[in-house]
Amino acid sequence: MSIQQRLAKLNPRQQEAVRYIDGPCLVLAGAGSGKTSVITTKIAYLVQECGMSARRIAAVTFTNKAAREMKERVGSMLKGKEGHGLTVSTFHTLGLTIIRGELKTLGYKAGFSLFDPEDAKALLRDLMQKDAQVDADQINRVQGQISTWKNDLVLPGQALSHAADEDEQYAARLYEAYNRHLKAYNAVDFDDLILLPVVLLQRDPEALARWRRKFHYMLVDEYQDTNVSQYLLVRLLMAERETFTVVGDDDQSIYAWRGARPENLVTLGEDFPRLRVIKLEQNYRSTGVILRAANTLIANNPHVYEKTLWSDMGPGDPIRIVVNRHEEAEAERVASEILTRRIKERAEWRDFAVLYRGNFQARLLELKLQHYQIPYKLSGGTSFFSRNEIKDAMAYLRLLINPGDDNAFLRIVNVPRREIGPGTLEKLANYATERSISMFAACHELGLEQVLPTRAVERLSRFTHFVDGVRKRMDQGDAIAAIREMMRDMDYEAWLHQNASAPTVAERRMANVWTLIDQLEKSMEREEGEETDDVQSAISRLVLRDILEQQAEEDDSDRVQLLTMHASKGLEFPHVYLMGLEEELLPHRNSIEAGTVEEERRLAYVGITRARQTLTLTLARQRKAYGELMDCVPSRFLDELPAEDLEWEGRADKEDPDKKQARGKDAIAGLRSLLG
């Protein structure tokens, strides 16, 4: 299909957004208005109609899934070499690309490590244990504060002056030590992937000129989710040419808690006075009734740019509001109704989604779905490879096949505890850097005694001797047996028991480790059933599977989808249930106390606009809290919906008795056909 044919398929506003390339452009894209089509068609338009080289274009978004989807769509439009060199990535991957290209300027060695949040937490725990016993909440608070500072471009030397109280002063001192250790370990954390490029481009005119020459046009998806440093990265790269398109929707900004700044939409107009604003208001997803509810609700929030979603899909069914006695009745009602509606409407299980404000709301619902034997998928659960015990075991496996893996070394040198502190590791890292060798190799050098006390050298030597012994046993014979023996010799299970909330938790975690080793053994078996001794390639395959699992494609098997409203953004379903429409749940109590109800309203708006055909809102009159039944107050958002589009159930003053009777008959008929 030619680019002209693709353009002809777009509506007039979408066409305008694709064709405008002479200056800065903000596409205000309402929910379900086809923004991905605009971005991908615009990339093809720049290459095929405007003659721009694909290697000069960068498109950035927030998740690997969105980046992959964009890449696939553009790949189907640009054939052969046309798309060669195009950058389609997340913000963090773009930052990583810049860091890799500027290693020398930034003062890092090749092969630097990327600390994920768990690695960073382990480093903070070690640094904090010098002061006193610390709990997980304290570590999380400090980690969150450091992350906020990095996102807001507050550097370690400036943090103390930004600290509002004693806790923040403590975090500021830790921030300094934490960053120093990261540098010594030749490592960066997730937030550094944006912070380091921004600071570099601000301070180094030559580096800035290099990256401006590389990118002549930028497209930014989900712009309302950018934080301070992400916006600065875009501004620095594009300030000279002013050739970019950002696509966003202030009504879907629901990530303020992790640094997103919807006010970046305002800043954009201030920084780029020539900004062209194009509104996409035609929705291709939902019925008129659902869109009217969304528009009426969100009108209660203040807006810089007004927009009203509309659809030519007809009015559709009224929105149902179901009031239940208590939370158990609410879960029972949702589960039994999905069962009967599937039969009556000949729907698939995957056509139904249940959304809620907090993960705890899914527990009762899961039990009810299991009771009715309804298959479901719970999003947001911990994946196998992201569990701490699996990360520990994987780090041991990585170090066994590659002693030069500094990140793996740092993760497990003190797991189980070997009294090797962060001070020792910082000196070891600096010594390894000077000698241009890995930290594991540095532990074998006599010169280490010049920079570390004898006891520290002995402890490091004991650890590396232990690992060397395992590697030797693996080379000599049964590699899997050697790995199992290693886990038993270092008594990893006892370490899990020391750090678990209950013995059953530790047992379950140890069972996960044995499962991983069983998987490794299976992966060493060839197709014909023969065994191969190549444990290296088997571990490499597992490491790759770990990475792929973190970026796994969405599972599209036929199951009811259960997910939080935050996790539902970007998705759509024929039939949606929103659970828990009560004060202190939606809007959440923390938001009411903090005066941030506007963000909760945007969250409700996101939930409503996931629905294509039908929308049901449920609430309970009573809910259990701390073992007691508490009375619940209906959410203020229910009063903000257009009354003429609502159909109430379970409230005598608002319910139609004939419909109530018909519903009862439907439920009985559905159960009969199920039993038949």
Side-chain angles (χ1 to χ4, degrees):
M1 192 189 297
S2 73
I3 190 67
Q4 293 305 328
Q5 288 170 312
R6 288 185 195 282
L7 276 167
K9 287 188 152 193
L10 302 180
N11 69 39
R13 290 285 78 76
Q14 290 173 325
Q15 289 180 14
E16 182 190 351
V18 169
R19 287 198 170 106
Y20 181 70
I21 59 161
D22 297 328
C25 179
L26 164 62
V27 179
L28 211 62
S33 62
K35 69 182 174 69
T36 310
S37 294
V38 167
I39 294 173
T40 50
T41 308
K42 188 155 192 168
I43 294 170
Y45 182 80
L46 286 164
V47 174
Q48 294 172 339
E49 281 289 301
C50 310
M52 188 177 285
S53 165
R55 68 178 66 252
R56 298 281 172 245
I57 302 170
V60 287
T61 185
F62 280 85
T63 65
N64 285 323
K65 180 174 176 276
R68 278 197 308 277
E69 188 182 313
M70 210 184 284
K71 220 176 257 179
E72 282 162 15
R73 286 221 214 170
V74 174
S76 68
M77 297 183 200
L78 300 177
K79 296 298 175 208
K81 288 186 177 173
E82 269 187 332
H84 201 65
L86 173 72
T87 299
V88 179
S89 71
T90 62
F91 264 104
H92 290 92
T93 308
L94 176 65
L96 188 59
T97 303
I98 295 174
I99 291 171
R100 282 195 176 126
E102 300 287 346
L103 275 182
K104 219 174 197 156
T105 327
L106 287 164
Y108 287 88
K109 295 181 296 189
F112 66 91
S113 298
L114 173 59
F115 270 38
D116 70 12
E118 287 304 321
D119 298 326
K121 202 169 279 176
L123 171 56
L124 281 171
R125 185 184 296 112
D126 285 344
L127 291 170
M128 289 167 79
Q129 267 168 346
K130 283 180 177 176
D131 302 328
Q133 283 303 105
V134 288
D135 60 24
D137 286 346
Q138 251 179 308
I139 297 168
N140 288 338
R141 277 198 301 276
V142 170
Q143 188 175 26
Q145 183 59 63
I146 290 173
S147 178
T148 300
W149 278 328
K150 287 193 176 192
N151 288 334
D152 288 348
L153 237 62
V154 176
L155 300 175
Q158 306 162 327
L160 259 178
S161 62
H162 284 72
D165 53 34
E166 273 183 32
D167 283 351
E168 287 190 12
Q169 286 168 9
Y170 176 59
R173 287 191 291 274
L174 274 166
Y175 180 16
E176 216 278 320
Y178 167 77
N179 249 33
R180 206 179 62 241
H181 278 76
L182 276 182
K183 195 74 199 275
Y185 298 163
N186 193 38
V188 297
D189 68 16
F190 199 60
D191 299 311
D192 286 331
L193 295 180
I194 311 292
L195 174 80
L196 290 173
V198 170
V199 172
L200 173 76
L201 299 179
Q202 282 178 328
R203 293 178 178 176
D204 188 330
E206 287 178 18
L208 180 60
R210 273 196 296 276
W211 290 94
R212 280 181 175 173
R213 279 196 300 274
K214 171 148 177 65
F215 298 125
H216 293 185
Y217 203 98
M218 273 188 93
L219 301 101
V220 182
D221 189 18
E222 303 287 10
Y223 176 74
Q224 77 282 344
D225 293 340
T226 53
N227 58 35
V228 170
S229 53
Q230 285 160 339
Y231 171 56
L232 272 175
L233 184 60
V234 174
R235 196 181 78 188
L236 282 160
L237 290 169
M238 290 293 112
E240 196 172 50
R241 288 191 177 82
E242 296 198 354
T243 46
F244 62 82
T245 297
V246 303
V247 181
D249 179 7
D250 48 347
D251 291 333
Q252 293 188 74
S253 181
I254 56 174
Y255 295 120
W257 50 278
R258 65 177 189 210
R261 298 286 169 96
E263 55 269 31
N264 282 350
L265 287 160
V266 184
T267 314
L268 193 69
E270 293 166 356
D271 288 345
F272 297 93
R274 295 197 303 127
L275 184 72
R276 165 89 67 100
V277 180
I278 298 167
K279 298 179 189 179
L280 304 185
E281 296 171 298
Q282 182 173 357
N283 173 287
Y284 292 93
R285 175 188 299 160
S286 309
T287 63
V289 161
I290 289 167
L291 293 180
R292 189 156 57 235
N295 288 331
T296 313
L297 174 74
I298 207 66
N300 291 283
N301 273 5
H303 286 83
V304 182
Y305 303 106
E306 296 294 337
K307 67 175 185 318
T308 306
L309 295 180
W310 61 275
S311 147
D312 53 14
M313 296 171 71
D317 296 343
I319 292 167
R320 292 162 60 243
I321 300 178
V322 182
V323 185
N324 302 278
R325 275 201 328 280
H326 42 62
E327 59 198 318
E328 192 166 340
E330 179 187 41
E332 169 73 34
R333 176 63 187 270
V334 171
S336 62
E337 196 173 283
I338 288 173
L339 184 68
T340 54
R341 282 181 70 181
R342 177 178 180 263
I343 296 157
K344 191 180 169 194
E345 296 167 27
R346 293 190 172 85
E348 307 276 332
W349 292 122
R350 67 164 74 86
D351 292 344
F352 297 92
V354 186
L355 314 183
Y356 34 79
R357 178 65 179 82
N359 277 311
F360 72 93
Q361 290 170 263
R363 288 176 206 148
L364 264 175
L365 184 62
E366 281 193 82
L367 294 173
K368 299 294 179 189
L369 293 171
Q370 286 165 7
H371 172 73
Y372 286 115
Q373 296 181 337
I374 296 172
Y376 65 89
K377 181 194 175 195
L378 184 69
S379 291
T382 311
S383 82
F384 184 69
F385 280 104
S386 61
R387 296 174 191 278
N388 265 332
E389 65 274 16
I390 297 303
K391 287 186 154 190
D392 288 345
M394 287 296 292
Y396 270 102
L397 295 176
R398 278 162 45 204
L399 197 64
L400 288 170
I401 65 165
N402 174 19
D405 189 332
D406 281 351
N407 204 5
F409 175 89
L410 284 166
R411 181 172 182 96
I412 48 144
V413 67
N414 227 0
V415 174
R417 200 153 185 77
R418 298 182 177 96
E419 295 182 4
I420 298 167
T424 297
L425 292 173
E426 185 181 8
K427 286 174 185 160
L428 172 68
N430 288 331
Y431 176 83
T433 302
E434 282 163 25
R435 301 272 297 120
S436 298
I437 55 175
S438 72
M439 291 168 80
F440 189 86
C443 294
H444 292 78
E445 296 217 339
L446 292 171
L448 196 56
E449 292 175 5
Q450 305 302 312
V451 292
L452 282 175
T454 310
R455 283 178 67 190
V457 174
E458 280 171 4
R459 283 170 186 155
L460 287 168
S461 176
R462 210 175 301 140
F463 170 67
T464 50
H465 181 70
F466 170 68
V467 175
D468 284 334
V470 179
R471 295 180 71 217
K472 199 171 174 183
R473 288 200 295 280
M474 284 169 70
D475 291 342
Q476 285 170 348
D478 187 343
I480 295 294
I483 290 165
R484 286 205 171 99
E485 196 181 333
M486 170 185 77
M487 283 295 169
R488 283 192 282 268
D489 285 351
M490 67 185 176
D491 210 354
Y492 185 71
E493 189 162 6
W495 159 255
L496 288 175
H497 277 278
Q498 282 166 26
N499 291 279
S501 52
T504 49
V505 174
E507 285 156 18
R508 192 167 63 244
R509 287 179 181 163
M510 196 63 219
N512 287 338
V513 173
W514 296 130
T515 301
L516 177 78
I517 295 169
D518 290 343
Q519 284 296 314
L520 179 62
E521 190 168 28
K522 282 193 186 115
S523 138
M524 285 175 65
E525 290 164 11
R526 289 214 179 107
E527 300 281 312
E528 312 89 279
E530 300 168 31
E531 198 170 292
T532 171
D533 288 327
D534 190 2
V535 72
Q536 287 216 351
S537 57
I539 292 173
S540 298
R541 279 198 297 276
L542 263 188
V543 172
L544 183 61
R545 195 191 309 177
D546 174 8
I547 293 164
L548 292 175
E549 173 136 337
Q550 289 171 19
Q551 306 178 342
E553 286 295 337
E554 288 305 297
D555 173 10
D556 64 350
S557 55
D558 189 21
R559 297 189 277 174
V560 174
Q561 305 294 307
L562 313 185
L563 62 175
T564 63
M565 287 179 217
H566 281 103
S568 74
K569 192 157 163 285
L571 305 175
E572 55 181 74
F573 310 92
H575 309 291
V576 168
Y577 288 81
L578 288 191
M579 284 176 74
L581 265 286
E582 298 144 33
E583 286 291 299
E584 303 203 348
L585 198 46
L586 184 71
H588 197 276
R589 181 172 50 195
N590 295 350
S591 297
I592 297 170
E593 288 169 0
T596 55
V597 171
E598 286 170 15
E599 174 138 345
E600 294 289 296
R601 191 176 281 111
R602 292 195 290 267
L603 195 55
Y605 172 87
V606 165
I608 288 168
T609 52
R610 299 312 94 198
R612 299 209 311 248
Q613 296 164 27
T614 70
L615 176 65
T616 306
L617 313 177
T618 70
L619 61 150
R621 287 202 188 91
Q622 289 187 313
R623 215 170 267 280
K624 240 185 202 157
Y626 313 109
E628 283 183 53
L629 270 180
M630 313 286 277
D631 290 337
C632 304
V633 177
S635 169
R636 68 189 73 185
F637 299 151
L638 294 173
D639 295 329
E640 296 176 5
L641 299 175
E644 65 277 11
D645 291 336
L646 307 181
E647 201 174 81
W648 287 78
E649 296 173 22
R651 252 183 81 165
D653 58 327
K654 297 205 178 196
E655 193 165 10
D656 181 331
D658 293 341
K659 282 187 176 165
K660 186 176 179 180
Q661 198 176 355
R663 249 191 349 266
K665 285 179 181 169
D666 273 353
I668 292 164
L671 287 167
R672 273 198 188 125
S673 67
L674 186 77
L675 294 167

